Every structure is written in structure tokens, then in C-alpha cells.
């Protein structure tokens, strides 16, 4: 075992890994907290482009879980055709709306491109055949924590500490 600078052996080498359970519950339900304060959102700011994914995927419980992997500190607001994501850490925002030509438009502004992260995570999930949450797992080490798809060597997303 390696010794840390503070003299405690093995703590940085410890690893816990395993798949998520097949039920609808999550450890987050057991963690009581107030919502973090956030800035106001302003619709219509930022660069607009066509969305690669249908924002209605955020109506599916697994879709929301997957999208959160791509934008871990974002909060979803809105419903129906207009989805608003607000990053509580940076104030970055993404807003979706129907395109007049069919499909969907997304407008993003701020230091993080939230919808880009959502599209990457959702596209990975869709390419894998839309597995349920039990198809994902978690690995926690002294250096951080990541959620993975399929197995620990599969596609993965680092979670903020």
C-alpha cells in the first residue's frame, strides 16, 4: 500500500466499484439538502444551433439520469417543448425549442456548453441500445468518482466532488 503525505497508508489506493441496482431508487433521495442558489435565467441569449437529440428524452427517468452525467451541476427547468438547463455552479444555460423546419433548436450561453454534454451522454446511451440505469455502474477512488456504462472500462463520466 502507498503512504499518503499525512502518513495514512492505503487510503488513496482504495477503490469501490459496482453496478447500479435495477430499482427506481437512488442514493440521492436519502441526502436531504436545500437547492443551491442560482442566477436568473434569460431565454434567448447565446448561440443557437440544431439539437442532435430530442429534448423529450428528458421526460424519461433514465434519459434524465444520462443527461445529468453530461451536465452534472445543471438543474432542469421547464417542460414540454421548452427545456431550460441552468448550471448552478457557473450560471451557464441551455434552452431548447421546436425548430420551424422540424426537429429542435438549442441555444447555449455561459462558460459551459451544457447541451453539448447532454448530447454526448445521450448519444452514447442511445448507441448502446438505451440500457436501463442498472446498465451503469460507479467507481470511487481516492482521486475521484466516475459513472461508467457496461463495465468500468466502458464509456465513463467523471462526477464533480
Amino acid at each position: 500500500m502507498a503512504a499518503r503525505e499525512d502518513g495514512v497508508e492505503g487510503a488513496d489506493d482504495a477503490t469501490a466499484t459496482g453496478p447500479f441496482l435495477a430499482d427506481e431508487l437512488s442514493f440521492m433521495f436519502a441526502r436531504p439538502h436545500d437547492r443551491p442558489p442560482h442566477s436568473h435565467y434569460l431565454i434567448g441569449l447565446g448561440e443557437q444551433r440544431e439539437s442532435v437529440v430530442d429534448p423529450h428524452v428528458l421526460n424519461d427517468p433514465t434519459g434524465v439520469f444520462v443527461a445529468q452525467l453530461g451536465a452534472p451541476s445543471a438543474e432542469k427547468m421547464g417542460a414540454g417543448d421548452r427545456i431550460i438547463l441552468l448550471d448552478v455552479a457557473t450560471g451557464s444555460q441551455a434552452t431548447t425549442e421546436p425548430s420551424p423546419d422540424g426537429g429542435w433548436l438549442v441555444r447555449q450561453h455561459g462558460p459551459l456548453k451544457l447541451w453539448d454534454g447532454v448530447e454526448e451522454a445521450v448519444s452514447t446511451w442511445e448507441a448502446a441500445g438505451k440500457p436501463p440505469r442498472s446498465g451503469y455502474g460507479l467507481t470511487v477512488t481516492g482521486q475521484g468518482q466516475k459513472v461508467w456504462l457496461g463495465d468500468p472500462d466502458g464509456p465513463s463520466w467523471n462526477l464533480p466532488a
Side-chain angles (χ1 to χ4, degrees):
M1 286 193 190
R4 296 188 336 188
E5 289 180 22
D6 61 7
V8 176
E9 289 191 24
D12 286 338
D13 293 340
T15 299
T17 193
F20 290 143
L21 299 176
D23 61 25
E24 293 296 316
L25 295 178
S26 163
F27 69 92
M28 294 301 287
F29 292 122
R31 192 179 99 195
H33 59 79
D34 291 332
R35 290 180 133 183
H38 54 75
S39 60
H40 293 81
Y41 57 92
L42 301 170
I43 295 172
L45 296 179
E47 301 172 16
Q48 188 175 50
R49 64 171 178 78
E50 296 225 5
S51 176
V52 174
V53 299
D54 184 333
H56 287 121
V57 72
L58 298 183
N59 294 333
D60 177 276
T62 302
V64 170
F65 166 78
V66 171
Q68 193 78 63
L69 295 173
S73 57
E75 181 178 312
K76 176 185 169 237
M77 297 178 272
D81 290 341
R82 180 160 289 185
I83 301 294
I84 301 166
L85 297 181
L86 176 63
D87 185 79
V88 297
T90 66
S92 298
Q93 297 175 27
T95 306
T96 65
E97 61 186 59
S99 172
D101 302 328
W104 299 95
L105 298 173
V106 62
R107 188 178 295 271
Q108 303 181 92
H109 71 95
L112 298 178
K113 300 298 183 202
L114 300 176
W115 201 253
D116 291 359
V118 167
E119 287 177 330
E120 183 272 326
V122 168
S123 294
T124 300
W125 174 57
E126 289 175 338
K130 295 184 177 181
R133 283 180 276 184
S134 60
Y136 287 80
L138 177 68
T139 298
V140 179
T141 68
Q143 289 75 46
Q145 48 191 346
K146 71 175 184 174
V147 173
W148 40 263
L149 174 58
D151 64 68
D153 295 324
S156 63
W157 297 265
N158 291 319
L159 299 178

